[in-house]
Amino acid sequence: MLKCQIEIDNHFHFIITMTFNYLMLISEWLSLDGFCRYLMSDENAPVFLDRLEICQDLDQPLAHYYINSSHNTYLTGRQFGGKSSVEMYRQVLLAGCRCIELDCWDGRGEDAEPIITHGKAMCSDILLKDVIYAIRDTAFVTSHYPVILSFENHCSKSQQYKIAKYCEEILGQLLLTKQLDEVPLQPGVQLPCPNQLKRKILIKNKRLKFDVEKRQLELFLKGQQESISEEEPGIELNTAVVVDAELTENAFTENDINDNGVGREDNDAHPEVKIDVSVSVDVVNQQSNYHNNNCTNDNITLPITNHNQSKVKISDKGSLTADEEAQLMQKYKYTSATTNIHPVLSSYVNYAQPVKFQSFEIAEDRNIFYHMSSFNESTALGLIRSNVVDLVHYNKRQMSRIYPRGGRVESSNFMPQIFWNAGCQMVALNWQTADLAMQLNQGKFEYNGGCGYLLKPEFMRRDDRTFDPFSESPVDGVIAAHCSVQVVSGQFLSDKKIGTYVEVDMYGLPTDTIRREYKTKVVPNNGLNPIYNQEPFLFRKVVLPDLAVLRIAVYEETGKLIGQRILPLDGLKAGYRHISLRTEGNFPLSLPTVFCKIVLKTYVPDGLEDIVFRLADPIKFISEDEKQKVEAEKRAKQMREMGIDENDISDVPVLVTKKSSSRKSTKGKFPQRSVSLPPRSHNNAKTMSGPVSPSANSISSFGAGTAPSLALGLSYSASKKDNLTKDCKFDPIAGEILKSDKSYLTLLKKQQKELESLKKKQIKERAAMQRSHCSMMDRMVVGHDKEKSMQEKSLEKAIKKKGSVIY
C-alpha cells in the first residue's frame, strides 16, 4: 500500500509539474502542452541522470581507471610559434582534466625564474610560479580526485630546486610528498585508489635511484651543495636515474655526447634569441616583450643560432608563415629532458615514476606497479598491432600515457578510442583543438560526475581474463547489444533558411565502429524544424557496449557543423528522446535539439531468433498436449489445497480419435459406445473375420442385450484396436486455416459491428457527459457570482451602517 501511495503521489506531482491547465489538474490529466514540456525536460533525458553524478566505484587502484589527460597544456594554438598561457591550466582543470603537462626550462635574466614553454619551437613563455598558483586555485573545484603533474624537466639543478620549493610552499598540504603508510612503494603492491588520494597532487618526474637519492639528499641537507653539482663525478648518468621513454625519444645524438660520455645539458629554451653585438637595443626590447606574452609589434626579427646565422622574421602575435615554419622544422631538433635530477625534487615523486619501456616480459618480472611509461601515438599503435593482448595485461598492473607524435604541428589530435580499447589510462590530447577526438574525450568523461576518472570494464582489470580488442566474438560475461536510431526531426537548428542533415556514428571496438555510413537526407530551406523521418540506422551487433559511444551530429548542407552530442552507450535510454546538442567545444547549445527514437536490445545471432522468442514467452509456444499437462498439474495442485487426497483420485484413460474429436463429423451416424468389461480368458474369446457392420438388423437378429451382441462388439473393438492407435495422428492445424473458417469470419464480423456500436455509444455518452459537465460548471459559476454579489452588497450595507453609527 505504501509503495502504491508513493507511485500515486509521484504521478500527481509529475502532472502538477508539467500541466498548467486548471481543468486538466482537477481531472489529473496531462495536457498536450504538458506532454510536449515533458518530452523536452530532464525527465526525458537521453541518458540516465544518475550516470552524470558520481556513480562508479572509486576504491580500485589507479591503473584500473581511464584518466582525463592533457598534452602540452600551456599552449593555446600551434606547436610551433604558438602562445603559452596560464589561463589554459585553469580552463583545463575546471573542465575535469586530471593529468596536465609542464615543460620546464631555465629562465633568463637576473631573477632566473623557471619558465614553461615548448622549447626551441619559437613559443612564448610563462612563469612556472604563476602556473603553480593557478593549479592550487583550480585543481579541486570541479573534482576532488587526484591531479597528476607530468613534468618534462629541462632545468638545471638550481632551477629544479626552485621548482621543488614552489610546489612545496604554494601547494602545501595538497602536494603528496611521501608514500601512504597503507600503500608502500614496494614491488607487488597495488597503486592507491582515487579515494585514498582525494585532494592530492602527484608529481610525475624522473626519479633517482633510491641509494643515489638518499646520499645526495643527505649531502644537500648538510649544506654540501657542491657534492650534487650539475655533473657529479663517479655517477654514471644511465645508472643514476630511471628514464622515461617519452623524455628520451631522439635524446642523444653523436654531437651531443662529450668526451666523458655524458650528454651535455642544454637548458636554453630559445637559442633563436641569442643576441650578438650587432643587434640594436630596440630589437632586444622587442624580443623581451615577445617572450613575456606581450608580442604586439609587427615583423620582429630574431636571429637564429645556426651555421649560417640566418634570421627568421616573426609575424604579428608570434604566428609563423609557411616558409618560416618550414625553415624552423628543418632546424628543429628534439631535446630530451635532463637526467641530472635534484634530490629534493626526486624525493617528491612517488606513485607516478616514469621509466623507459623495455619489454612486457621485463615489466611483468619486475612487478612494480608505480612504474609507468609514456609512448607517442606511433609507438603505441605499433604495440597495439603486434602485442595488443600484452598491452592490455600491462595496463591492468601499471599506468601508461599516450601523447601525440611530433609531426602534429597544427596541434591536431589522434583518435583516442583505440587506446582506450587497449586499456591505456592517460590518453593525452591537445585541449586547445576542438576536433572530433576532443569531442569523444569530453563526451566520455562527462559520466561519473565529470570527476576525470572512469572505471575500466571488469575484464580489463582482472588478471585471470584475457581480452583482445580486435576480436569479433562477444567477450565472456558481456552481453552484446543491438542498437537502432531513427532520426525523426530537428528543432531550432538554425534561424536561417538552410538545408540540414544528421549523421549518426558509433565508436568503440574496431568491429563496433561505424563511421560516415549513416546520414539522413538533406531537408532544404528549413533550419527551424526540419522533419527527416529517416529509416532507422541499425547497429546490429555491438560486441562491447561498455566502451561504445554514439555520436549524433547536425550539419549544414555545405558540411559546416551546427551541433553534436556524444552519448556513451552505457547509460543510454531507449524510447523517443529530445537530444540537446553541443558546440564543437562541447558547450551546451540553448535551443537546438534532435528528436530521435532509440531502440536498445540484446543481440540475437542469425537463426536463433525463434529460440529466443520461445524462451522469452514459453507458454505461448508450447503444444496442446503440454498445455493440457500444465493445466492438469495446476488443477491437481488446487485440489490438494482444497484438502482432497491424491490417493482418492484415480487415473482415467481417455482415447481420442478423429471421429470423437469432432462432433460435427459424426452427426447422423451410428453413435459409438465404449463398454468396459472384465478381462476374458482365451478359451471364451471369439473373433470374426471380415467387416462387421454395426447396423440395427445385425443387432436384432441376435436379440438386444444377448451374449452374441456383446461378443460382436468386443470382436469389433479387438479387430480395430491396432487401427485406432495408428489413426491417433493428427495433421497440424495452422492459424491461417482457422482464420478462413466460416464461423470465425462470422464472429469477426459480429465483433466489428459490436465494436462500432460501442464506439458510437461511447461518443454519445461522452458528449452528454461534456454537456452536463459544462452546464453544471455554468450553474456553479452563476451561483458563485450571485453569492459574491450578495456578499458585496451586504458588506456595503454593513460599512454604511457602521459609518452612520460613528457619526
Side-chain angles (χ1 to χ4, degrees), residues 2 35 40 70 80 89 92 107 109 126 164 196 242 326 329 350 382 407 452 513 603 636 665 705 716 766 787:
L2 179 60
F35 180 66
M40 302 286 288
S70 168
F80 273 84
Y89 285 93
V92 164
I126 53 177
Q196 289 176 306
V242 182
M329 287 293 291
N350 35 64
T513 300
Y603 167 72
S665 62
Y716 177 79
R766 182 179 177 184
E787 185 177 0

Side-chain angles (χ1 to χ4, degrees), residues 771-785:
R771 287 194 298 270
S772 63
H773 180 72
C774 293
S775 61
M776 187 179 296
M777 289 293 295
D778 293 337
R779 288 196 298 271
M780 290 176 62
V781 171
V782 171
H784 175 73
D785 293 338

Side-chain angles (χ1 to χ4, degrees), residues 110-328:
E110 297 179 356
D111 54 357
E113 287 289 330
I115 60 172
I116 291 179
T117 187
H118 196 190
K120 308 182 189 303
M122 303 287 289
C123 295
S124 60
D125 310 334
I126 53 177
L127 293 178
L128 179 133
K129 188 176 183 179
D130 296 339
V131 172
I132 300 299
Y133 275 115
I135 293 171
R136 181 199 65 181
D137 296 339
T138 57
F140 302 110
V141 174
T142 301
S143 170
H144 293 287
Y145 293 94
V147 173
I148 301 173
L149 307 184
S150 180
F151 280 101
E152 185 176 328
N153 198 340
H154 301 268
C155 294
S156 60
K157 276 197 170 180
S158 60
Q159 298 273 290
Q160 290 181 43
Y161 179 65
K162 280 190 175 182
I163 294 174
K165 295 304 290 180
Y166 287 151
C167 290
E168 181 182 5
E169 293 172 359
I170 297 173
L171 299 178
Q173 296 295 324
L174 299 178
L175 183 66
L176 185 68
T177 57
K178 296 180 181 179
Q179 65 181 11
L180 301 177
D181 295 336
E182 58 271 22
V183 188
L185 292 173
Q186 296 176 1
V189 178
Q190 294 265 17
L191 291 172
C193 66
N195 275 331
Q196 289 176 306
L197 298 173
K198 264 189 174 182
R199 297 188 63 83
K200 289 296 180 182
I201 296 175
L202 282 67
I203 290 179
K204 171 186 171 288
N205 189 79
K206 289 182 290 186
R207 184 171 186 177
L208 298 171
K209 289 191 174 182
F210 178 74
D211 53 348
V212 177
E213 177 189 298
K214 183 178 179 182
R215 182 163 58 85
Q216 289 193 10
L217 195 57
E218 289 175 353
L219 294 175
F220 177 77
L221 294 176
K222 292 178 180 178
Q224 300 179 11
Q225 296 193 23
E226 65 278 2
S227 300
I228 54 169
S229 59
E230 296 299 323
E231 293 181 6
E232 182 180 358
I235 298 179
E236 292 187 6
L237 203 61
N238 294 334
T239 60
V241 69
V242 182
V243 184
D244 187 4
E246 175 187 2
L247 307 180
T248 58
E249 180 186 6
N250 305 325
F252 297 128
T253 61
E254 187 176 348
N255 296 329
D256 294 327
I257 306 297
N258 60 17
D259 297 336
N260 297 327
V262 179
R264 292 198 305 267
E265 301 291 347
D266 187 0
N267 307 116
D268 192 357
H270 298 286
E272 70 275 7
V273 295
K274 290 182 179 178
I275 310 300
D276 56 18
V277 180
S278 61
V279 181
S280 65
V281 176
D282 294 337
V283 176
V284 173
N285 292 335
Q286 290 175 349
Q287 294 171 355
S288 177
N289 291 335
Y290 168 74
H291 289 292
N292 285 299
N293 295 332
N294 295 319
C295 182
T296 56
N297 298 320
D298 296 341
N299 300 327
I300 303 174
T301 303
L302 301 179
I304 296 182
T305 304
N306 53 46
H307 298 290
N308 299 324
Q309 290 293 325
S310 60
K311 295 183 180 181
V312 175
K313 186 174 290 185
I314 299 180
S315 304
D316 186 24
K317 297 185 180 180
S319 59
L320 297 176
T321 64
D323 295 337
E324 294 167 356
E325 184 175 305
Q327 184 177 356
L328 277 176

